[in-house]
Amino acid sequence: MRYRVSHRTTYSYDDDVSSSFGLAHCRPRELPWQHVASREVSIDPVPSDIADDVDCYGNIVSYFHVTEPHMRLTINALSDVTVTPTEYDADALLEPWERARPILHPGISRGAWAATEFALESPKARHVDAAREYAAASLTPGRPIGEAVTDLMHRIKTDFHYDKTATTVTSTVADVIEKRAGVCQDFAHLALACLRSHGMAARYVSGYLATRPPAGKPRLVGADASHAWVAAWIPGSDQWLAFDPTNDQWVADRHVTVAWGRDYGDVPPVKGVIFTEAKKSTLRVAVDVAPLEEYSQG
């Protein structure tokens, strides 16, 4: 499926900002299952310095420095992306989940060394006892990797309620488990804590999800949003099984991958530092993932 992705982030302030340093993860990755025909980022006011780099996980990061005084900063990213569903090695998915623990089995495959970091605890996906206990019902002895991960995904969707008011950016995995509610970022961190606390390697993935309206209804422009999901390492093939606990589905051609890391802290869409006397600021984000044919007609 081919998409035109638009992601606009706007910061407004009640006083001039004299200097703004920032970095953005908003350029989709080129991957075996994802082709990026174009990707561009524009910033208003125009930065005095802007550059792209590749971080240690292979993500494209845009760095910028705006020195023109401003009361509004807009980062606008546009991309043309084609996504195809990933085909997984069926035999590898049948391997016991216990083999997907690179720290215990460092020689099991060529990719084990790279997966090791994603089996460790990270700041936003702590290995709390409640997460380990919750995961145990899915990670039963000898259960196939694909089946175990899918069962955990199903249970998170069933047991946890999507609620934008239940958590904040500072909420922890323990908070999410206690409230049994959260948003996609929370459910991704929960899944990470569940798998990693049992030794499995899994990474946090950020990107976009194209929404599809009910039959006969037009797709709402702007209804899409930044999204987060998880990918679990499969040692038999060194693939990563990407799954979306928020929507209870394996990732396919509706998900556009931007970046991945240990957790949200590694790949926020935009973050930075400003110099200002402003006492109040607002943030507005608008994301649209449109099938390219529809975008052209509009």
Side-chain angles (χ1 to χ4, degrees):
M1 194 68 178
R2 189 177 178 188
Y3 301 105
R4 185 69 167 178
V5 181
S6 171
H7 183 172
R8 175 173 294 217
T9 304
T10 303
Y11 294 92
S12 300
Y13 310 97
D14 64 354
D15 200 351
D16 275 338
V17 172
S18 60
S19 186
S20 179
F21 295 87
L23 63 82
H25 293 88
C26 50
R27 294 179 184 264
R29 295 179 63 130
E30 182 72 27
L31 298 163
W33 64 89
Q34 178 171 283
H35 171 62
V36 183
S38 66
R39 52 192 172 198
E40 59 185 50
V41 176
S42 60
I43 300 172
D44 183 28
V46 176
S48 58
D49 185 24
I50 184 170
D52 288 338
D53 201 355
V54 177
D55 68 15
C56 62
Y57 301 117
N59 306 310
I60 300 175
V61 188
S62 300
Y63 299 86
F64 61 88
H65 181 199
V66 176
T67 55
E68 176 184 332
H70 57 279
M71 295 180 67
R72 175 177 295 180
L73 175 69
T74 300
I75 302 98
N76 192 38
L78 290 173
S79 304
D80 178 341
V81 186
T82 299
V83 185
T84 57
T86 300
E87 295 185 4
Y88 294 103
D89 184 321
D91 291 335
L93 291 175
L94 292 175
E95 290 288 329
W97 69 265
E98 291 93 339
R99 294 174 64 82
R101 298 186 288 184
I103 296 175
L104 294 180
H105 305 289
I108 196 170
S109 71
R110 289 181 299 175
W113 69 272
T116 298
E117 180 176 7
F118 296 102
L120 301 173
E121 187 176 53
S122 64
K124 295 184 179 295
R126 296 296 185 188
H127 298 177
V128 295
D129 291 341
R132 179 178 175 82
E133 293 166 5
Y134 182 81
S138 297
L139 304 179
T140 53
R143 194 172 195 180
I145 297 171
E147 182 181 311
V149 169
T150 302
D151 183 68
L152 176 64
M153 176 184 72
H154 290 333
R155 291 175 54 229
I156 291 175
K157 172 63 175 178
T158 300
D159 296 340
F160 292 79
H161 177 61
Y162 187 90
D163 183 353
K164 293 182 179 179
T165 66
T167 57
T168 68
V169 293
T170 61
S171 295
T172 65
V173 169
D175 295 332
V176 175
I177 294 175
E178 180 182 356
K179 294 185 177 182
R180 283 295 198 270
V183 295
C184 60
Q185 175 183 314
D186 300 312
F187 301 151
H189 287 151
L190 170 62
L192 290 174
C194 286
L195 296 175
R196 292 175 182 169
S197 62
H198 285 265
M200 293 183 67
R203 61 194 183 196
Y204 180 99
V205 187
S206 70
Y208 310 109
L209 172 64
T211 57
R212 291 176 180 166
K217 299 292 184 179
R219 192 184 63 84
L220 298 177
V221 175
D224 306 292
S226 296
H227 196 49
W229 57 93
V230 174
W233 178 58
I234 311 170
S237 60
D238 278 330
Q239 291 179 296
W240 293 76
L241 174 56
F243 65 98
D244 182 350
T246 302
N247 293 290
D248 194 17
Q249 60 185 244
W250 286 11
V251 168
D253 61 353
R254 291 177 58 198
H255 292 73
V256 176
T257 301
V258 173
W260 60 60
R262 297 167 301 164
D263 57 36
Y264 174 84
D266 288 335
V267 290
V270 181
K271 70 176 181 179
V273 176
I274 62 173
F275 292 86
T276 182
E277 297 294 328
K279 295 179 173 59
K280 184 179 180 180
S281 65
T282 58
L283 167 64
R284 290 185 175 85
V285 178
V287 173
D288 188 52
V289 184
L292 194 60
E293 296 80 3
E294 176 183 328
Y295 185 90
S296 299
Q297 292 173 2

